Amino acid sequence: MLNGALTGIFWGAVILFLWWLGRRAQARPVSAVADWPEQVYSSYTEEFDLEIRARDLPALLDADGTAGESPSGDFERDIDRRREAYLAARAHGISRLVEFRPPKPPASVCLLIDLSGSMAKRLPEVLGEVRAISEWLTKHESNVAVYGFTTRGWRGGPVRKNWLADGSPEYPGRLCALVHIVVSDFGSPGGDDDWDALLRTDILRENVDGEALRWAADRLVQERTPNKMLVVLSDGAPVDDATLAANGNSFLFKDMVEAMSEIEKREHITPIGIGLDYRVSEFYPQSGLVEEGGSLLQAIIPFLDGTATGGTRTEG
C-alpha cells in the first residue's frame, strides 16, 4: 500500500515537472546556437527602433496592437493601484530628501530606468522615488534627465518577423526593436502625463542594456556641466529572447560590458549602477543594491553628494 502511494507520488511529480518544462519552453525559447566569440555586435535592422516621449507611448501601443498586453495580469484593474503606490512613494521621497545634501557643485544627472517585464511589481515605487529625486536635484540647480528603455513587443516583435521572412540567416545580431523613452530631458522637465505613461505594464518588455547605455551617454555628454553622472536602475542582466536564441546566450551581455568600457573612457561621465534585488557590481565600478522594501534614496544619494565609499546597500 505504501509502495503504491509512493509510486503515485513519484509519477505525479514527474508529470508536474514535465508540465513545468513545457510551460517554460512556451514562455522562453532556448538558445539554438552556441556563442560565437568573434561575432561583432550588430542589429539585424534598426528600421523599427524608436526614440519617443513617454506621453506618446499609449498611442504607440495602440498603433502596434499591443495595448493591454500586461506581464503582470489584469491591466485595467492594476492601473489605479499602481498610481496610488507611485504617488505615495513620491510624497515619501519628497519628505525624506530634506535630510540629504545636494551635489556641490551642481551636476548633470541622467537617471536611466530598465523597463523590462520583471520590473512590473516594484516600478510604481521606483518611479515615485525617481521623480522625487529629479525634482530635488532640479530645485538645487543640478541638470536632470530621466530616460527609460524597453523593446517593441515580445521575443523580437517586427524585427524577428522580418528575419523569419528572409530565411532566418545565422547569427543575425540584435533581433528586436528598441524603444528609448524620454520621461524628462535636460532643461525640459516631464509632466504628469509622461510619468503616468510609465505606470502602464503593457510598455514593459525586454531589455537591451548596452545600446541604451550608449544612447543615454550620448545625450549626457552634450551637457556643459563638468560633473556628469549616468545612474542606471536595473533588476537583471540584458535579455531579449529572440536575440539570444539566434546569437548565443552571451551576445547582449558582452555588448553591455563593452558599452560600459566605452563610457568609462568618456570625459567626465561617471557610470553608477543601482541594482534592484540584483547585484550589478560586476558591471559597474560604482554600484548600490536595493533589496525589497529598501530605500532607493539611500542607495542613490551618497553617489550624488559625494559621500559614497564603494557600494551601498539598503534593505527592507
Side-chain angles (χ1 to χ4, degrees):
M1 187 103 173
L2 180 59
N3 287 341
L6 290 174
T7 300
I9 292 171
F10 171 78
W11 285 111
V14 169
I15 292 169
L16 183 62
F17 177 69
L18 292 173
W19 173 85
W20 177 78
L21 284 178
R23 294 283 293 179
R24 281 186 62 85
Q26 293 173 17
R28 182 177 294 273
V30 176
S31 178
V33 300
D35 288 321
W36 176 19
E38 291 77 30
Q39 184 179 12
V40 176
Y41 186 84
S42 65
S43 56
Y44 190 68
T45 177
E46 297 179 359
E47 175 185 355
F48 304 101
D49 294 353
L50 285 177
E51 178 183 307
I52 190 171
R53 281 297 303 214
R55 68 188 67 165
D56 297 325
L57 283 167
L60 172 66
L61 295 169
D62 286 338
D64 282 353
T66 57
E69 291 183 2
S70 169
S72 66
D74 188 332
F75 171 73
E76 295 297 337
R77 185 182 61 192
D78 283 351
I79 194 67
D80 289 339
R81 177 185 57 80
R82 294 171 66 79
R83 184 174 290 109
E84 182 179 342
Y86 153 75
L87 292 172
R90 181 187 177 193
H92 179 70
I94 291 170
S95 68
R96 287 289 311 281
L97 281 164
V98 297
E99 305 171 15
F100 297 100
R101 296 183 307 169
K104 293 294 183 184
S108 290
V109 181
C110 174
L111 297 158
L112 179 64
I113 308 173
D114 167 9
L115 296 174
S116 55
S118 57
M119 285 282 286
K121 180 181 177 182
R122 71 182 308 160
L123 187 60
E125 289 80 6
V126 168
L127 290 176
E129 290 191 278
V130 167
R131 187 168 188 183
I133 292 169
S134 67
E135 292 170 338
W136 174 75
L137 287 169
T138 301
K139 178 181 176 180
H140 291 285
E141 301 181 339
S142 284
N143 205 9
V144 187
V146 180
Y147 303 141
F149 62 101
T150 186
T151 60
R152 294 179 73 176
W154 289 104
R155 305 180 186 95
V159 178
R160 184 171 182 270
K161 289 180 182 178
N162 279 14
W163 173 70
L164 291 172
D166 292 341
S168 308
E170 290 187 333
Y171 294 99
R174 168 168 57 85
L175 270 185
C176 61
L178 306 183
V179 185
H180 300 301
I181 301 168
V182 177
V183 187
S184 65
D185 214 348
F186 295 111
S188 177
D192 288 340
D193 48 355
D194 291 296
W195 292 92
D196 284 349
L198 296 194
L199 295 173
R200 299 176 60 115
T201 51
D202 53 357
I203 69 168
L204 307 177
R205 302 300 183 213
E206 301 187 88
N207 54 305
V208 178
D209 296 52
E211 292 193 66
L213 287 165
R214 292 188 185 92
W215 174 81
D218 285 345
R219 299 174 75 97
L220 176 59
V221 80
Q222 297 176 40
E223 297 306 301
R224 295 182 179 179
T225 312
N227 186 17
K228 301 178 180 70
M229 298 182 223
L230 174 57
V231 183
V232 184
L233 311 180
S234 176
D235 72 339
V239 172
D240 174 72
D241 286 338
T243 298
L244 298 184
N247 296 276
N249 289 331
S250 69
F251 181 73
L252 295 177
F253 174 82
K254 289 190 297 184
D255 185 60
M256 179 181 176
V257 172
E258 179 61 31
M260 280 300 307
S261 176
E262 294 168 11
I263 292 168
E264 285 186 88
K265 296 172 185 174
R266 302 187 78 159
E267 189 175 6
H268 301 308
I269 291 184
T270 301
I272 299 161
I274 304 296
L276 307 174
D277 291 323
Y278 174 74
R279 294 186 182 277
V280 296
S281 53
E282 62 179 309
F283 309 123
Y284 298 91
Q286 298 190 50
S287 66
L289 172 66
V290 183
E291 298 187 332
E292 187 170 358
S295 170
L296 187 62
L297 301 180
Q298 289 181 327
I300 291 179
I301 298 301
F303 294 107
L304 302 182
D305 67 14
T307 61
T309 56
T312 67
R313 171 175 175 170
T314 69
E315 303 176 2

